[in-house]
Amino acid sequence: MISTITLKNKPSIIETATVAGPKEGESRLGKFVDKIYYDDTLGEKTYEKAECKMLSYAIGDVISKTKIKESEIGALVSGDLLNQIISSSFAARKFNAPYIGVYNACSTMAEAYAIGAILVDGGYTDNVIAATGSHFSTAERQYRYPLELGAIRPPQSQWTVTGAGAGMISSRRGNYPKITSVTFGKVIDFGVTDANNMGAAMAPAAADTIIRHFKESGKSPDYYDLVVTGDLGALGSRLVKKICFEKCVDIDRNHVDCGELIYNIDEEEFQGGSGAGCSAVVFNSYIYKKIIKKEINRVLFVATGALLSTLSTQQGESIPAIAHAVSIETEG
Amino acid sequence: MISTITLKNKPSIIETATVAGPKEGESRLGKFVDKIYYDDTLGEKTYEKAECKMLSYAIGDVISKTKIKESEIGALVSGDLLNQIISSSFAARKFNAPYIGVYNACSTMAEAYAIGAILVDGGYTDNVIAATGSHFSTAERQYRYPLELGAIRPPQSQWTVTGAGAGMISSRRGNYPKITSVTFGKVIDFGVTDANNMGAAMAPAAADTIIRHFKESGKSPDYYDLVVTGDLGALGSRLVKKICFEKCVDIDRNHVDCGELIYNIDEEEFQGGSGAGCSAVVFNSYIYKKIIKKEINRVLFVATGALLSTLSTQQGESIPAIAHAVSIETEG
């Protein structure tokens, strides 16, 4: 069965909103982000509450930018990295809209866009918000070590992005970027067990979805101006290009990775950015604005997720991964 | 905007599969469950691996019962209560099908059915599996106390069901139960802070969805043979009926709750069953079989979820809750 879903009505992404922390704000893509907070607590008592606040702001901002009433929103599709996706659920509490909680780790941005696009494409509702985010300090202390420990980071590691992004998918017509197809990912596990090497764990899943997308859609990589992966980082990006190349799908020329793009290059974050907020911020700011300005017209957005937990790692499991792809196109 | 989605093509639930643990097997609904394991480790080294195995069995069984090839499955929509929904993601690793990870706590069964129904109804794919599960010992040690502690349970508490359930939603026509509409829930928080009193936290969310469903669909509660809530338990069931009654929606006569139904009445589990596996097992065994036998023809299935985490409770937050409704009908 063909798993790439072509959307006949091509729902529009009529607006996006992004929020980011200090490190992201000062980095090379900071100027594309709507709101930057130089205090990464956002005035909250805990980092978890700060993460939720960022996500709430992104959702609230996309609503106010579009002037769509909360009662006109058919669904808020959101998830995040915290246990029981509390950032999303607590953010959803603030909005009078149906809520669909989703989780596919750092691929959640593409997953949410994919589900939202189907809801709008099928005529089930007119407006859906897709949103996610992450926070360095919540992810670090939930997945790795207490912040106070100052654990040394290995060179294959990435830096969780403090940021959130939201997009409004709508049946509204006009000169907006359109979601034209969706390829849901399969869970792929190549047996990587190093929880500090997410790029290696996720690259095979990204390659699987990318290859499947091209095989099923009949398109070639050249069709797209950009093939944007989520947060593979520098090493993972090299791996995904290598795997695709070996399978005769050459994305070398037009591949970029949100994790590679987001930060200035310094040694602290090694392979680049990661976290659900990574692709959420980069796609909904930099990439979306490039599409709006017609600098690029066709993008395959492939957010990637590592489906582990601290407990699965403790129990000796390897790291399953997934990648969902969404194609976004605009008339040139 | 009307948030109750009417499904024009009325996708079929062509088959279900259920797996349960010893306590559930010995209880009043045990005879309706397909597979009962009297060793709640299922031969695995950890309870978490056992939970994943149960879920894998439910998914595998519904595939083999329907004789649909894995390659013909458009999506596996699944989630669970473990951090980062590892039971679902690790189960999905075993199947060659696209995976959509979802999480709305114990309302996940209805959420998965709702998303799956839309995917099939819209013609995006022909077959979708909706699945979830839970395990007493994993939930207890993740959300509450170490099992070895033998903590005393308060009288308003419920007992997490050890079990899993899966259903195959299909475009196949025939004399199958059909999903006719979907009402996605909103996040409702009445300020309940007692993490042992899930029934009270979830009842307002269930009432909101039920009332919205009837208001928007123009149906009266008498339309349904049963209004089945997920896992409100005895106290929560009384509350949801009271709230609905006050809003002039009288479900007293045809309301049942999976948490109230599943166990024999004894003091140990107080208010009844809970957990994502509760509605998964009860709906996909007892309720589904009642529909198949035409003992009942119209069911509004309203699974309920408490969207807390241990951390949100530790940080002094109240408990937001949600309920998604799916109507299942068969020709009488």
Side-chain angles (χ1 to χ4, degrees), chain B residues 15-47:
Chain B
E15 196 54 88
T16 62
T18 48
V19 180
K23 184 180 175 72
E24 293 70 23
E26 285 163 4
S27 292
R28 53 202 293 263
L29 301 188
K31 62 183 171 185
F32 300 99
V33 176
D34 297 328
K35 273 186 181 165
I36 293 162
Y37 287 87
Y38 290 96
D39 166 12
D40 70 350
T41 71
L42 280 81
E44 294 290 329
K45 280 185 185 172
T46 70
Y47 291 121

Side-chain angles (χ1 to χ4, degrees), chain B residues 211-228:
Chain B
I211 293 165
R212 206 150 36 85
H213 174 82
F214 286 118
K215 194 177 159 189
E216 294 179 349
S217 68
K219 289 170 186 158
S220 74
D222 287 342
Y223 181 83
Y224 292 103
D225 297 314
L226 285 181
V227 175
V228 185

Side-chain angles (χ1 to χ4, degrees), chain B residues 248-307:
Chain B
C248 302
V249 176
D250 183 357
I251 58 167
D252 284 11
R253 280 162 298 184
N254 51 2
H255 171 265
V256 296
D257 179 72
C258 298
E260 265 197 297
L261 287 174
I262 192 164
Y263 291 127
N264 298 323
I265 298 167
D266 71 35
E267 285 184 14
E268 201 181 26
E269 70 276 344
F270 295 109
Q271 303 296 331
S274 69
C278 181
S279 59
V281 168
V282 175
F283 176 79
N284 291 305
S285 67
Y286 177 61
I287 303 286
Y288 183 77
K289 284 174 186 174
K290 265 188 159 337
I291 302 172
I292 289 287
K293 286 182 189 163
K294 312 271 186 193
E295 291 172 19
I296 50 176
N297 297 315
R298 293 166 173 175
V299 171
L300 186 67
F301 173 49
V302 192
T304 45
L307 302 170

Side-chain angles (χ1 to χ4, degrees), chain A residues 1 3 5-7 46 48-49 71-74 81-86 89-90 92-93 96-104 111 115 118-119 121-122 124-127 141-143 184-187 189 212 307-312 315 317-318 320 322 324, chain B residues 1 3 5-7 46 48-49 71-74 81-86 89-90 92-93 96-104 111 115 118-119 121-122 124-127 141-143 184-187 189 212 307-312 315 317-318 320 322 324:
Chain A
M1 181 182 280
S3 56
I5 295 170
T6 303
L7 302 178
T46 70
E48 289 75 16
K49 288 181 198 279
S71 60
E72 297 294 316
I73 296 163
L81 303 182
L82 289 186
N83 294 343
Q84 285 70 56
I85 61 167
I86 48 168
S89 299
F90 281 80
R93 186 170 64 169
N96 180 30
Y99 168 56
I100 300 174
V102 293
Y103 179 81
N104 270 163
E111 184 191 17
I115 293 172
I118 284 169
L119 281 166
D121 183 71
Y124 298 107
T125 183
D126 287 328
N127 306 294
R141 69 189 190 178
Q142 178 182 280
Y143 286 99
F184 284 110
K186 296 180 180 181
V187 179
D189 189 336
R212 206 149 35 84
L307 302 170
L308 80 171
S309 77
T310 50
L311 190 136
S312 70
Q315 294 189 358
E317 291 280 5
S318 55
I322 196 163
H324 300 293
Chain B
M1 182 181 277
S3 56
I5 294 170
T6 303
L7 302 178
T46 70
E48 288 76 16
K49 289 181 197 282
S71 60
E72 297 294 317
I73 295 163
L81 304 183
L82 289 185
N83 295 342
Q84 285 69 56
I85 61 166
I86 48 169
S89 298
F90 281 80
R93 186 169 65 168
N96 180 30
Y99 168 55
I100 300 173
V102 293
Y103 179 80
N104 272 163
E111 184 191 16
I115 294 171
I118 284 169
L119 282 166
D121 183 72
Y124 298 106
T125 183
D126 286 329
N127 306 294
R141 69 190 191 178
Q142 179 182 279
Y143 286 99
F184 283 110
K186 296 180 181 180
V187 179
D189 190 336
R212 206 150 36 85
L307 302 170
L308 80 172
S309 77
T310 48
L311 190 135
S312 70
Q315 294 189 358
E317 291 280 6
S318 55
I322 197 164
H324 299 294

